[in-house]
C-alpha cells in the first residue's frame, strides 16, 4: 500500500514539474511579446493597416477687388469600392469581386474615365509585363503582395520574381482567382452567371488584379474604401448608382416569382399571349386630387427583352397605367399594330373617383 502511494506521489511530482515548465515557457513568450518585441509587433501591424491618401482640401471661392470670382469649388464624383460583402464560400467571393470589378472597369473605359491602379506593374512596349518601380520601392511592393512587414523577410524566389511571374501569381487560383478557384476552373455556367469572360485581355488582367491588390492592402480595415476613379462624369455616376444594389439570389428569385404570379392574376395582364412579370401601384399626393397610377414590368418573364415603367400623373387607379403597359408590350412583340395601340382617342378609364 505504501509502495503504491509513493508511486502516485512520484507521478504527481512529475506532472507538477511539467506544468511549472509549461507555465515558465508561456511567461517567457508573453515577456517576449509584450516587453522585448512589443513595439516591433505594433509597428509591423501599423505598417500593414496604415495607408496615406493625399487629397486636396476645399479652398473656398476667391474674388478679385471688384467682387468677381477668380476661382471656385466644383462638385466632383469619385468611384470607390470596399470588400464588405457576405459570401457563402471563398469561390463565390472571388467570382463576385472579379465580376463587379470587371464590369466597372469596362464602363470606365467606355466612358473614357481614368482608372486609378496602384499596382506597380504595366504592359511594356514589347507586350510583356514590367515593373514601374525599382530598388527599395520594388522590394516594398513585393513585401506588400506577400504580406510581409519587412522586405528582408522575403524569400530569394519572391525577390527574384519577374513582373510576368507576379501577374501569373496574382491572377492564379490561389490568390485573386481570375480563371478558377482552388483546384477547379470556373464553369461556363459560373462565367455566364457573373458576366465574366473566358479570357481577359492584358489590360483587363492588369486592371482587375490591380484593384484586387488595392483591396488586399485594406484586409485589416475592410471599411476603408479603395478609390477606383476620380472626377468621373455624371453618366458614370448614374451607372454606379443603378448597379449598386447587391442582393442574394434567393431574394431576387422571390421578387421575380411574385411579379410573375401577380401578372398571371391581374385582370388586365392575365390573358396576354406572352408570359410576363409586373407590379402595379398608386401614390397619393393629395386628398383633393386623384392618385398617381403606376406600373412596372418586363417580358418575357424567363428571358427579358424589354422592361418598362408607366406613370400617369393623377391617373386614378393603377389599372389605367397597366393598360398602357399592356399595349406597349403587345406592340413591341408584334401582337398589336400601331393602329390598334394609337387610336387617336382616349381609352375608357377605370377606378375614377369623383369626390
Amino acid at each position: 500500500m505504501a509502495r503504491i502511494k509513493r508511486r502516485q506521489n512520484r507521478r504527481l511530482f512529475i506532472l507538477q514539474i511539467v506544468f511549472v515548465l509549461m507555465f515558465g515557457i508561456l511567461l517567457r513568450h508573453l515577456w517576449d511579446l509584450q516587453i522585448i518585441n512589443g513595439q516591433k509587433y505594433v509597428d509591423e501591424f501599423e505598417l500593414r493597416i496604415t495607408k496615406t491618401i493625399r487629397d486636396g482640401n476645399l479652398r473656398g471661392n476667391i474674388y478679385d477687388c471688384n467682387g468677381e470670382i477668380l476661382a471656385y469649388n466644383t462638385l466632383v464624383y469619385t468611384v470607390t469600392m470596399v470588400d464588405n460583402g457576405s459570401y457563402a464560400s471563398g469561390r463565390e467571393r472571388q467570382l463576385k469581386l472579379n465580376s463587379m470589378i470587371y464590369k466597372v472597369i469596362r464602363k470606365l473605359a467606355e466612358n473614357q474615365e481614368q482608372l486609378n491602379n496602384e499596382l506597380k506593374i504595366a504592359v511594356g512596349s514589347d507586350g510583356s509585363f514590367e515593373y514601374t518601380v525599382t530598388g527599395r520601392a520594388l522590394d516594398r511592393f513585393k513585401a506588400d503582395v506577400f504580406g510581409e512587414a519587412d522586405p528582408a523577410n522575403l524569400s530569394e524566389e519572391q525577390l527574384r520574381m519577374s513582373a510576368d511571374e507576379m501577374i501569373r501569381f496574382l491572377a492564379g487560383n490561389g490568390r485573386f482567382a481570375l480563371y478558377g478557384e482552388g483546384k477547379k476552373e470556373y464553369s461556363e455556367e459560373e462565367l455566364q452567371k457573373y458576366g465574366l469572360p473566358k479570357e481577359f485581355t492584358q489590360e483587363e488582367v492588369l486592371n482587375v488584379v490591380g484593384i484586387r491588390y488595392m483591396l488586399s492592402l485594406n484586409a485589416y480595415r475592410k471599411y476603408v474604401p479603395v478609390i477606383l476613379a476620380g472626377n468621373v462624369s455624371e453618366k458614370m455616376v448614374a451607372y454606379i448608382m443603378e448597379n449598386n444594389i447587391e442582393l442574394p439570389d434567393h431574394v431576387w428569385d422571390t421578387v421575380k416569382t411574385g411579379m410573375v404570379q401577380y401578372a398571371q392574376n391581374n385582370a388586365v395582364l392575365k390573358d396576354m399571349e406572352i408570359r410576363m412579370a409586373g407590379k402595379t401601384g398608386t401614390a397619393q399626393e393629395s386628398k383633393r386630387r386623384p392618385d398617381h397610377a403606376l406600373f412596372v414590368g418586363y417580358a418575357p418573364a424567363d428571358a427579358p427583352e424589354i422592361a418598362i415603367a408607366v406613370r400617369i400623373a393623377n391617373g386614378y387607379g393603377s389599372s389605367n397605367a397597366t393598360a398602357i403597359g399592356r399595349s406597349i408590350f403587345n406592340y413591341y412583340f408584334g401582337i398589336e399594330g400601331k393602329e390598334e395601340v394609337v387610336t387617336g382617342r382616349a381609352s375608357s378609364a377605370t377606378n375614377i373617383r369623383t369626390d
Side-chain angles (χ1 to χ4, degrees):
M1 191 76 174
R3 190 177 300 170
I4 293 173
K5 188 174 290 187
R6 273 194 225 103
R7 192 175 299 166
Q8 289 177 342
N9 289 338
R10 193 178 299 123
R11 288 176 180 174
L12 288 173
F13 179 70
I14 293 172
L15 276 175
Q16 289 172 352
I17 292 176
V18 170
F19 279 119
V20 168
L21 287 174
M22 291 175 65
F23 187 70
I25 293 171
L26 177 62
L27 284 178
R28 173 68 181 83
H29 282 292
L30 287 174
W31 179 267
D32 179 75
L33 181 66
Q34 297 289 336
I35 307 301
I36 299 176
N37 293 314
Q39 191 58 46
K40 174 188 172 185
Y41 293 137
V42 170
D43 293 341
E44 288 184 356
F45 180 72
E46 287 291 334
L47 185 62
R48 288 173 184 267
I49 68 171
T50 302
K51 183 179 180 182
T52 302
I53 299 176
R54 293 179 175 84
D55 197 7
N57 295 322
L58 296 176
R59 61 185 176 187
N61 295 334
I62 300 176
Y63 300 86
D64 65 9
C65 61
N66 299 315
E68 298 292 331
I69 292 182
L70 298 175
Y72 57 91
N73 295 310
T74 57
L75 181 65
V76 296
Y77 298 99
T78 300
V79 180
T80 63
M81 180 178 179
V82 292
D83 175 18
N84 59 358
S86 57
Y87 312 99
S89 63
R91 190 177 186 86
E92 183 186 66
R93 175 178 177 269
Q94 299 283 24
L95 282 163
K96 280 192 173 181
L97 284 177
N98 291 342
S99 171
M100 190 185 307
I101 294 169
Y102 177 71
K103 291 172 183 175
V104 170
I105 64 174
R106 282 177 62 88
K107 200 65 180 180
L108 286 169
E110 179 184 320
N111 293 338
Q112 298 181 333
E113 311 279 5
Q114 184 66 41
L115 177 70
N116 175 41
N117 191 341
E118 296 181 10
L119 192 71
K120 311 304 182 188
I121 299 176
V123 179
S125 55
D126 60 350
S128 61
F129 293 106
E130 61 183 22
Y131 291 116
T132 57
V133 292
T134 57
R136 294 181 63 183
L138 178 57
D139 291 343
R140 178 68 266 161
F141 165 67
K142 290 182 177 179
D144 288 339
V145 169
F146 292 105
E148 295 291 348
D150 189 350
N153 296 330
L154 293 171
S155 67
E156 196 66 31
E157 181 184 359
Q158 290 169 341
L159 286 170
R160 289 186 196 170
M161 190 173 283
S162 67
D164 284 301
E165 291 171 333
M166 181 64 77
I167 288 292
R168 282 197 296 272
F169 166 74
L170 291 174
N173 293 12
R175 196 61 193 270
F176 299 144
L178 265 65
Y179 301 102
E181 190 265 345
K183 296 181 180 180
K184 188 178 177 183
E185 300 299 307
Y186 297 136
S187 65
E188 291 285 350
E189 291 77 17
E190 287 175 320
L191 294 175
Q192 186 176 1
K193 177 181 177 181
Y194 290 95
L196 289 168
K198 198 169 184 178
E199 294 291 336
F200 293 89
T201 66
Q202 271 191 318
E203 198 67 29
E204 288 170 347
V205 169
L206 197 65
N207 290 333
V208 174
V209 166
I211 294 173
R212 290 296 305 274
Y213 162 73
M214 291 157 63
L215 287 171
S216 72
L217 296 181
N218 288 348
Y220 290 93
R221 298 189 300 174
K222 291 189 175 183
Y223 57 88
V224 177
V226 165
I227 298 175
L228 304 189
N231 196 16
V232 297
S233 64
E234 292 188 358
K235 186 178 180 181
M236 189 67 203
V237 174
Y239 171 80
I240 295 296
M241 295 300 291
E242 289 170 1
N243 294 272
N244 200 31
I245 300 176
E246 269 296 324
L247 293 175
D249 290 341
H250 72 273
V251 174
W252 284 119
D253 292 341
T254 302
V255 172
K256 293 173 185 176
T257 302
M259 292 181 71
V260 170
Q261 290 177 349
Y262 184 87
Q264 289 173 342
N265 292 281
N266 181 272
V268 180
L269 303 173
K270 64 182 181 180
D271 296 327
M272 289 186 64
E273 296 181 21
I274 54 170
R275 188 170 182 265
M276 60 157 297
K279 184 69 180 74
T280 63
T282 54
Q284 186 183 56
E285 179 186 357
S286 169
K287 290 184 178 181
R288 296 186 178 184
R289 287 191 292 271
D291 296 341
H292 303 307
L294 309 170
F295 169 74
V296 293
Y298 61 87
D302 300 322
E305 294 181 21
I306 179 175
I308 65 171
V310 179
R311 174 184 177 273
I312 307 176
N314 308 123
Y316 297 96
S318 59
S319 57
N320 297 324
T322 309
I324 293 177
R326 176 190 172 113
S327 295
I328 294 172
F329 283 126
N330 284 341
Y331 178 74
Y332 178 85
F333 289 103
I335 299 171
E336 292 181 349
K338 182 178 178 181
E339 295 76 16
E340 296 171 279
V341 174
V342 184
T343 61
R345 56 185 175 80
S347 300
S348 57
T350 61
N351 297 321
I352 296 178
R353 198 174 62 231
T354 58
D355 55 332

